[in-house]
Amino acid sequence: MIRLLVLSLLIAAASGGMAQTPETADIYAPGQETFEAVLGGARQVVNVRGADRANPILIYIHGGPGAVEMPFGWAFQRPWEDFFTVVQWDQRGAGRSYPLNDPTALAPTLIIDRYRDDTIELIELLCKKYGKRKVFLLGHSWGSVVGLSVAKKRPDLLYAYVGMGQYIDPQAGEHASYAWTLEQARKENNAQAIKELEALQPYPGDFAIEKIDGERKWAVHYGGLFYGHQDGDFYFHLARISPEYTPADRQAWDDGSAYTVKIVAPQLAAVPFAKLNRLECPVFMFEGRHDQLVPSEITAAWLDKLKAPTKATIWFENSAHMMMIEEPGRVLAALLQSVRPCAKSGEKGMR
């Protein structure tokens, strides 16, 4: 009987998304809340989950641009919610936020500084709403560009910043990723991969998304996204049974990603973090040993030279770019052992 009930719930979620009635509400997240916030003049969807509002807030800045994490959070986030109030937010032009705004009007605002300032506005909104002084900020992949920009501008708002798959020098990173991917193709004598990769030269050029996608096709094939996997299909299919996303939301995710990435991706060429040598908040880098999309050695070398109140590179030896999925237990342990204690030290510092 229980197995039939679980199956029926999964089918209902996959086929159209369930309304949160008392009978179907998520009993594991009594504090769940989804609302719209106007950030920088754009309507954006925010999801808040956690077992205890006394816990510190952790804001997850998704990658992409446009690669929302809200429909995937159910696969790894639930244990975090016992220790943090976890905030997933679909950035301007992404996911559930995409149909809320006129894309033509939004286009000129799709710049890194505006994403940074949206995040700062969100932090201030959440601190006021939930009675907090600071938050933890976690940026993954593209989200790490936004997150580190916030840490640089407003460290006073953060207990700590966590970068996962952190961008530091995208030019150097793309060169390294391309060289590694082409090397794998040549080792395998993969004529199709070699032909397609060599056709991209000079790479990355102006960071046009067509070139980046061409390289990523083969970097992913050789395990640069998920270590030991030739694709990420198992991950992308998780959204089909997300409690947060309907089929219409998934379509908005596809449309928003296709729209924003063409505008934002070329801006990565000018990301300035390689010269950033000091931050005024604790900094933790969660790095997959086998990440070849944003090669982790570049980030680790940068952190070695960075001056910060507290800093650490935490390695995930069996991960590439998606350690929260590849090694969820170790990510949780790192959050609890290394990151969360900064909330206590941060509060002491304000007394």
Side-chain angles (χ1 to χ4, degrees):
M1 182 68 178
I2 294 176
R3 292 176 63 187
L4 289 173
L5 176 59
V6 170
L7 180 60
S8 67
L9 290 173
L10 289 174
I11 292 172
S15 63
M18 295 181 294
Q20 289 294 309
T21 65
E23 291 76 18
T24 63
D26 183 355
I27 63 172
Y28 296 103
Q32 180 175 193
E33 182 180 8
T34 301
F35 59 90
E36 288 184 20
V38 178
L39 307 172
R43 296 166 63 195
Q44 302 177 47
V45 175
V46 181
N47 176 258
V48 182
R49 293 176 59 95
D52 187 346
R53 285 290 183 268
N55 284 332
I57 293 171
L58 185 154
I59 301 174
Y60 189 114
I61 311 177
H62 67 70
V68 292
E69 202 66 41
M70 195 184 297
F72 304 99
W74 68 269
F76 65 86
Q77 182 183 301
R78 172 65 192 97
W80 300 12
E81 296 166 18
D82 285 331
F83 307 97
F84 300 92
T85 296
V86 183
V87 178
Q88 293 276 0
W89 140 64
D90 287 2
Q91 300 160 20
R92 59 177 54 225
R96 292 171 64 178
S97 299
Y98 178 69
L100 301 181
N101 304 278
D102 175 13
T104 303
L106 207 62
T109 75
L110 298 176
I111 58 175
I112 292 172
D113 285 356
R114 183 62 260 169
Y115 284 100
R116 176 200 65 197
D117 292 344
D118 281 357
T119 309
I120 292 170
E121 288 186 30
L122 177 62
I123 293 170
E124 293 174 335
L125 181 157
L126 293 169
C127 285
K128 182 177 180 180
K129 182 178 178 69
Y130 298 115
K132 305 295 184 182
R133 297 183 182 183
K134 296 186 177 186
V135 304
F136 289 102
L137 193 64
L138 187 156
H140 177 236
S141 197
W142 147 257
S144 74
V145 174
V146 179
L148 193 53
S149 298
V150 173
K152 178 183 177 183
K153 185 175 183 179
R154 292 297 307 272
D156 57 299
L157 294 175
L158 307 183
Y159 288 125
Y161 170 66
V162 180
M164 293 201 316
Q166 177 72 51
Y167 274 104
I168 295 298
D169 186 343
Q171 288 278 2
E174 291 303 323
H175 282 295
S177 178
Y178 177 82
W180 177 85
T181 304
L182 185 56
E183 180 185 9
Q184 306 313 304
R186 287 172 173 164
K187 284 180 180 179
E188 193 181 59
N189 196 27
N190 186 330
Q192 184 65 28
I194 294 169
K195 178 182 178 182
E196 291 183 15
L197 288 165
E198 289 182 342
L200 299 174
Q201 297 176 355
Y203 184 85
D206 59 1
F207 276 69
I209 191 59
E210 292 79 12
K211 278 200 171 187
I212 302 297
D213 281 350
E215 191 272 347
R216 291 294 189 267
K217 171 184 174 180
W218 293 107
V220 170
H221 174 79
Y222 288 113
L225 177 64
F226 287 99
Y227 180 50
H229 292 266
Q230 292 188 343
D231 60 50
D233 288 354
F234 72 95
Y235 166 74
F236 293 111
H237 291 167
L238 295 174
R240 295 178 180 178
I241 54 174
S242 169
E244 313 296 348
Y245 257 55
T246 67
D249 295 331
R250 295 201 301 272
Q251 185 60 54
W253 159 38
D254 288 343
D255 295 342
S257 179
Y259 184 75
T260 59
V261 73
K262 291 181 180 180
I263 299 172
V264 179
Q267 299 175 39
L268 292 174
V271 166
F273 300 139
K275 296 181 180 180
L276 179 62
N277 57 21
R278 178 183 293 275
L279 286 172
E280 300 301 330
C281 66
V283 182
F284 300 92
M285 293 293 133
F286 286 15
E287 294 297 317
R289 184 68 73 178
H290 306 280
D291 190 347
Q292 296 297 337
L293 269 61
V294 184
S296 48
E297 291 81 4
I298 294 172
T299 303
W302 168 82
L303 192 68
D304 284 344
K305 299 177 182 178
L306 183 78
K307 293 182 174 63
T310 301
K311 66 177 185 177
T313 298
I314 300 172
W315 289 100
F316 296 86
E317 300 294 342
N318 298 301
S319 293
H321 193 60
M322 305 292 285
M323 64 287 297
M324 69 285 193
I325 295 291
E326 297 174 275
E327 298 183 78
R330 290 190 173 93
V331 169
L332 176 63
L335 286 171
L336 298 185
Q337 294 168 5
S338 299
V339 177
R340 198 179 187 280
C342 292
K344 291 184 179 180
S345 59
E347 292 296 340
K348 289 178 182 177
M350 291 187 287
R351 290 174 183 170

